[in-house]
Amino acid sequence: MQTVNTHRRIETNRMQARRLAPFWLLLSVLMLTLFGRTALAQNAVLQDVSFASLPGKKIEVQMSFDAVPPAPKAYMIETPPRLVVDLWGAGNGMEQKVLAVKSGEVDSLHFAEANGRMRIVANLNAVVGYDIRTQGNMLLLELGRDAAVASSAAVQANKAASAPRDVAADNSRVTGIDFHRLDGDRGRITVDLSNAGAGLDIIEESGNVVVNLTNADLDPALQQRLDVQDFATPVNYIDTVVNGRNATILIKPTSMPYDYMAYQSGSQLVLDFQPLTAAEQKAKEDFFPYKGEKIDLNFQNVEIRTVLQIIAEVAEKNLVVSDNVQGDITLRLKNVPWDQALDIVLKTKGLDKREAGNVLLVGTVQEIAEREAVELQSQQSEITVAPLATDFIQIDYRKASDIKARLEEAKLVSERGFVMADDETNTLMVRETAKQIAEIRDTIKQFDVEVAQVMVQARLVTASDTAAKELGIRWGAGYQGDRLSVGGSPNFDSTPFVHNPILTSDQADSVEDSEALKKNITIPSNLMVDLGIESATSGLAFGYLSDRFLLSAELLAMQTDGKLEIVSQPKVITTNGKPAVIKAGQEVPTRTIDSDGKATVEWKEVVLKLDVVPQIIPGDKVQLDLIITEDSVGAIYDDLGNRLINKQELRTSIVVADGETVVLGGVLRNQTSENVSKTPLLGDLPVLGHLFKSRITDNEKRELLIFITPQMIRESLRR
């Protein structure tokens, strides 16, 4: 029985195998087909997706594959606005299925894979143009262009997809790298490419700017370092290297604050580096206050506590997380400072943080607020209940009463306590809680310090420059005949006698000689025209002699120059921020008589005065508030003998480096006068009238110059 049954079972199994043979054959074909499609799908796997904003509110989505991606097939859906891109033979190697863009007209990107096809769906806010192109292992999707341009671009993309691809043809080539110095100490780096097909990625890493050109070949001659330190721009070095099929440009900037901008026009990449002033740097920090180390975070439905732990490790801080912090989070952050990433995570989940040294406490907003309220209430209770103690604090450099006023102004003394100041011993008596006394001592340490001293020296120079020119002429003429005598005015001193020396009385032996002696010519009176000067230093005389006419003339010229310098040098020393005054001079009486005939005298100061308030500022510089006065006594102006007071005053506020001298603008007074004397009628004649004129020209210049030199008195000088 056993044997028979066994044979029956074997026969039955054979019959079942014959019936199932067609089924297994069909199943094998299906499995081979499925495996073939799966193998095909793994030809190009999506590894990373990033996006960048372009001018004109455009967005460029950069999809990186491990191999050359297949030809894309794209179409637009108007309602709702969506762009669908199908990639046959491609797979999604990323964990995340949704990428939030929220930029331009793009809301998000969805990635799906089925039956050997990967589909990319772009959810849009409106129907926009698009352009799809491949660069090596990169698939670039540009959204936001004009619809007409986009349609043409899509047609070209489909044509290119249907044609066989040459991977080497997609690579660009770096043909040149140059550097220029622009106005404003700006530096410009220009990278010339053979075509515009290279991918661009710019990051800041370890204080350097790294420019990655994907699918870009580099000439070996360009693999070098450019030293551009001598151009005095924010750029020191430019290093160019090859990294596989990509080219990398490493830019080493200086330590000075800078900002840079990068843009590509056609096949040329331009990077501009511009130095920043202190004000611009502060404005940039206020606009973007995050300074932490930059990190990359890419998570899909990860516990928020795990993300906080990763951020704390990068920040090298201890982390304490409340039990109320729960939930998952999905985020993708690239090259973001850790403190900014932490703020983003906390704001997304309604959390808050507090830092105490290197400990980071994270909890809900309500929990943090309640905890701070409890701490404040505890502090108030401690002030009310804690026992009081008495302490004596010695003040070294300030007055005890001044320090007491500062403590009361800062409200560091509670209602239970008090502070008493003794200026004779320069001691403070404080009765407060132990905690408050410690805080008062810490505050006093900030105020009770040695105050720097400043010596301010002023030099006042009064320079006068006078010039006087006198030009005059004297004319003398005389005629004496038998009946007519012509001469000058008798009101002046006599003119020297002029006679004919040819014949004297002793020599007159005959009547003819006696007649000749009578004709000796003399000037009967003084000069006819006297327009000369009183003190002549040079002169020129002309004379003409004839029988009946004598002409004599004198032409005089003089020029004198005079200069006078009066130097005053007041000097004063004061502590930082305290005013100082130094003056020297006299008092001048001013007399007045009232209606009753009673005389009163008022004394007015005529002094040289220096009034200064120095303030030391960072950088070894001193800010000075100056008032400089220089008075002098003038002429008498009334019958009582009162004199005018000439005043010169300067008020200004300046900043001067320690030990340097600054020249302040002086007061310049220029007085010119011209006096002309002439003989009536003759002095008005053209050309010849100058011979009958006297001209006196005075020119007086008076200028006040002020030189200021502040000098900080340092410890070495005091010793």
Side-chain angles (χ1 to χ4, degrees), residues 142-430:
E142 184 176 325
L143 296 164
R145 294 174 52 180
D146 183 71
V149 178
S151 301
S152 175
V155 172
Q156 297 295 332
N158 290 332
K159 289 182 178 179
S162 60
R165 298 176 50 84
D166 184 3
V167 177
D170 291 336
N171 288 5
S172 298
R173 184 167 52 88
V174 180
T175 59
I177 300 175
D178 202 356
F179 180 83
H180 301 278
R181 188 181 189 276
L182 306 179
D183 295 338
D185 298 337
R186 293 184 298 139
R188 171 169 291 181
I189 301 173
T190 305
V191 181
D192 295 325
L193 304 170
S194 59
N195 55 65
L200 177 62
D201 185 19
I202 302 177
I203 60 173
E204 290 188 54
E205 186 177 31
S206 302
N208 301 323
V209 178
V210 183
V211 181
N212 293 315
L213 298 173
T214 57
N215 296 316
D217 297 329
L218 181 66
D219 191 344
L222 297 177
Q223 299 184 33
Q224 59 182 351
R225 161 170 285 195
L226 297 180
D227 187 351
V228 295
Q229 298 182 84
D230 296 337
F231 288 90
T233 67
V235 182
N236 276 343
Y237 304 103
I238 304 172
D239 294 327
T240 309
V241 295
V242 176
N243 184 12
R245 295 172 57 187
N246 305 326
T248 301
I249 301 175
L250 179 64
I251 302 170
K252 180 68 175 177
T254 61
S255 58
M256 69 175 68
Y258 71 92
D259 193 9
Y260 74 95
M261 177 181 65
Y263 59 92
Q264 184 174 355
S265 176
S267 60
Q268 189 178 67
L269 174 64
V270 178
L271 295 96
D272 285 343
F273 286 78
Q274 178 180 359
L276 297 179
T277 62
E280 293 173 341
Q281 178 69 9
K282 186 177 184 304
K284 183 180 178 181
E285 292 177 355
D286 293 341
F287 179 75
F288 190 80
Y290 303 106
K291 300 180 180 179
E293 181 182 352
K294 295 184 178 180
I295 60 176
D296 295 339
L297 298 176
N298 191 348
F299 297 109
Q300 180 76 23
N301 295 329
V302 178
E303 264 193 328
I304 189 172
R305 303 170 71 91
T306 304
V307 177
L308 293 175
Q309 185 177 357
I310 294 174
I311 295 176
E313 291 177 357
V314 174
E316 297 182 354
K317 289 183 176 292
N318 299 316
L319 179 65
V320 178
V321 181
S322 171
D323 295 336
N324 296 326
V325 178
Q326 300 292 337
D328 298 338
I329 188 172
T330 299
L331 75 161
R332 184 183 185 277
L333 302 175
K334 186 175 183 181
N335 201 28
V336 176
W338 69 262
D339 44 356
Q340 183 185 14
L342 179 61
D343 284 350
I344 293 173
V345 172
L346 296 180
K347 291 178 181 179
T348 303
K349 292 297 182 178
L351 305 175
D352 201 355
K353 72 177 187 300
R354 291 295 182 268
E355 294 186 37
N358 65 338
V359 178
L360 186 64
L361 175 63
V362 177
T364 63
V365 175
Q366 182 179 359
E367 186 179 14
I368 295 291
E370 292 176 354
R371 182 171 300 177
E372 291 181 345
V374 171
E375 291 179 357
L376 180 60
Q377 185 178 0
S378 176
Q379 294 176 1
Q380 295 295 333
S381 300
E382 182 180 357
I383 295 175
T384 306
V385 178
L388 298 180
T390 303
D391 194 6
F392 295 89
I393 303 175
Q394 181 67 43
I395 307 301
D396 298 327
Y397 301 102
R398 305 286 294 274
K399 282 187 177 181
S401 56
D402 293 343
I403 297 297
K404 175 188 175 183
R406 294 291 185 270
L407 295 177
E408 292 175 347
E409 185 178 356
K411 298 181 179 180
L412 294 178
V413 183
S414 65
E415 296 179 356
R416 299 173 60 203
F418 72 90
V419 175
M420 185 179 68
D422 182 23
D423 287 338
E424 293 182 358
T425 60
N426 216 29
T427 305
L428 284 180
M429 177 182 177
V430 181

Side-chain angles (χ1 to χ4, degrees), residues 46 71 75 119 128 161 180 212 270 275 277 350 420 605 692 694 719:
L46 180 63
Y75 57 91
R119 170 167 291 183
V128 296
H180 301 278
N212 293 315
V270 178
T277 62
M420 185 179 68
E605 288 186 343
F692 299 91
S694 173
R719 284 199 294 265

Side-chain angles (χ1 to χ4, degrees), residues 28-46:
S28 300
V29 173
L30 292 176
M31 292 296 293
L32 289 175
T33 304
L34 180 60
F35 288 153
R37 293 210 171 190
T38 304
L40 181 62
Q42 297 301 324
N43 288 340
V45 179
L46 180 63

